[in-house]
């Protein structure tokens, strides 16, 4: 029996709070309960299960001890041994067929993925070229506008078309350029 002094030295255990029994009615409630339990102690490490490995048949033995002979007189127990061997072999062949099919589908998927990627790159290049073309067109239009504006600023003031003053100004400017005597002004007779 423990001495009374040892019991006095040891601190009393903390009492656990009584937990209410909650039975989840659906998957969402079950997940909610699990999250609440995890969040009670956030410092505690969370066990994350690793991905399960795919089933694979046992590799065939390197040395077969009980070889079946073709001689008559096999006992009644040999049938069950044969049956298990045959089942295992069929499972192995089915597994190999499934793996071959899976590899074939994966290869087709990768080809299709590569084909889609190339098509997307071609489409992107085509659209990029179109955008560049439009951008260059806008820049050229802007340059032309700027040049026209400069020409207008450097040339004569804007006068309405067909005005006699315009033809007079044209004659005067051409005369000045040619260093010749200015021509007599025309009169408008309509």
């Amino acid at each position: 029996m423990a001495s009374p002094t040892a019991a006095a030295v040891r601190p009393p255990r903390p009492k656990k709070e009584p937990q209410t029994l909650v039975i989840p009615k659906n998957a969402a409630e079950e997940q909610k309960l699990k999250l609440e339990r995890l969040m009670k102690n956030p410092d505690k490490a969370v066990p994350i299960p690793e991905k399960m490995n795919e089933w694979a048949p046992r590799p065939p033995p390197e040395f077969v001890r009980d070889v079946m002979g073709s001689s008559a007189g096999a006992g009644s127990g040999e049938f069950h041994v044969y049956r298990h061997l045959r089942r295992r072999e069929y499972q192995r062949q089915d597994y190999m067929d499934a793996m071959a099919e899976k590899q074939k589908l994966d290869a087709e998927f990768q080809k299709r993925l590569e084909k889609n990627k190339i098509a997307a790159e071609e489409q992107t290049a085509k659209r990029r070229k179109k955008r560049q073309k439009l951008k260059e067109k806008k820049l050229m239009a802007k340059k032309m506008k700027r040049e026209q504006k400069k020409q207008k600023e450097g040339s004569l003031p804007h006068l309405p078309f067909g005005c006699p003053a315009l033809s007079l100004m044209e004659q005067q400017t051409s005369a000045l350029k040619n260093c010749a005597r200015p021509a007599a002004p025309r009169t408008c007779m309509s």
Side-chain angles (χ1 to χ4, degrees):
M1 219 165 151
S3 66
T5 57
V9 176
R10 188 180 321 155
R13 286 187 185 174
K15 297 201 175 193
K16 290 185 179 179
E17 295 177 17
Q19 294 180 348
T20 58
L21 179 64
V22 179
I23 300 172
K25 293 183 178 99
N26 54 25
E29 287 184 11
E30 185 177 350
Q31 193 171 19
K32 181 182 172 189
L33 288 172
K34 286 181 180 178
L35 282 173
E36 285 175 357
R37 192 178 321 131
L38 284 173
M39 296 310 289
K40 278 183 182 176
N41 188 2
D43 298 331
K44 186 178 176 183
V46 179
I48 299 173
E50 292 185 19
K51 184 181 174 186
M52 295 286 289
N53 293 333
E54 280 189 18
W55 178 86
R58 279 193 315 202
E62 290 182 22
F63 182 77
V64 180
R65 285 178 171 67
D66 50 332
V67 178
M68 293 212 173
S70 59
S71 62
S76 60
E78 299 300 317
F79 168 73
H80 302 292
V81 174
Y82 166 75
R83 190 175 55 133
H84 291 306
L85 287 173
R86 184 182 64 178
R87 182 181 53 81
R88 251 188 247 121
E89 181 61 21
Y90 285 159
Q91 274 184 338
R92 191 180 69 84
Q93 288 176 356
D94 288 343
Y95 174 77
M96 289 184 348
D97 291 343
M99 290 306 290
E101 183 69 23
K102 185 178 176 183
Q103 287 176 352
K104 180 182 159 191
L105 290 174
D106 284 346
E108 286 177 8
F109 177 73
Q110 290 299 328
K111 282 181 187 176
R112 195 166 52 239
L113 210 61
E114 193 66 31
K115 187 178 175 183
N116 289 348
K117 188 177 178 183
I118 290 170
E121 286 176 0
E122 288 174 357
Q123 191 70 19
T124 305
K126 188 177 176 183
R127 289 179 180 160
R128 185 184 307 118
K129 189 177 178 182
K130 190 175 181 180
R131 283 194 306 269
Q132 286 296 111
K133 201 173 182 181
L134 285 172
K135 194 174 180 182
E136 288 174 8
K137 205 174 189 181
K138 282 183 182 180
L139 284 174
M140 290 299 289
K142 207 174 189 181
K143 281 184 181 179
M144 292 297 287
K145 212 174 195 180
R146 202 177 298 138
E147 287 176 9
Q148 287 176 354
K149 197 173 186 181
K150 283 182 183 178
Q151 286 178 355
K152 281 186 180 180
E153 288 173 359
S155 66
L156 300 173
H158 179 66
L159 295 171
F161 181 74
C163 180
L166 181 63
S167 60
L168 177 64
M169 289 180 145
E170 286 175 357
Q171 289 174 2
Q172 288 175 352
T173 52
S174 64
L176 287 174
K177 284 182 183 175
N178 296 333
C179 293
R181 219 171 31 172
R186 289 186 191 170
T187 55
C188 193
M189 299 223 190
S190 315

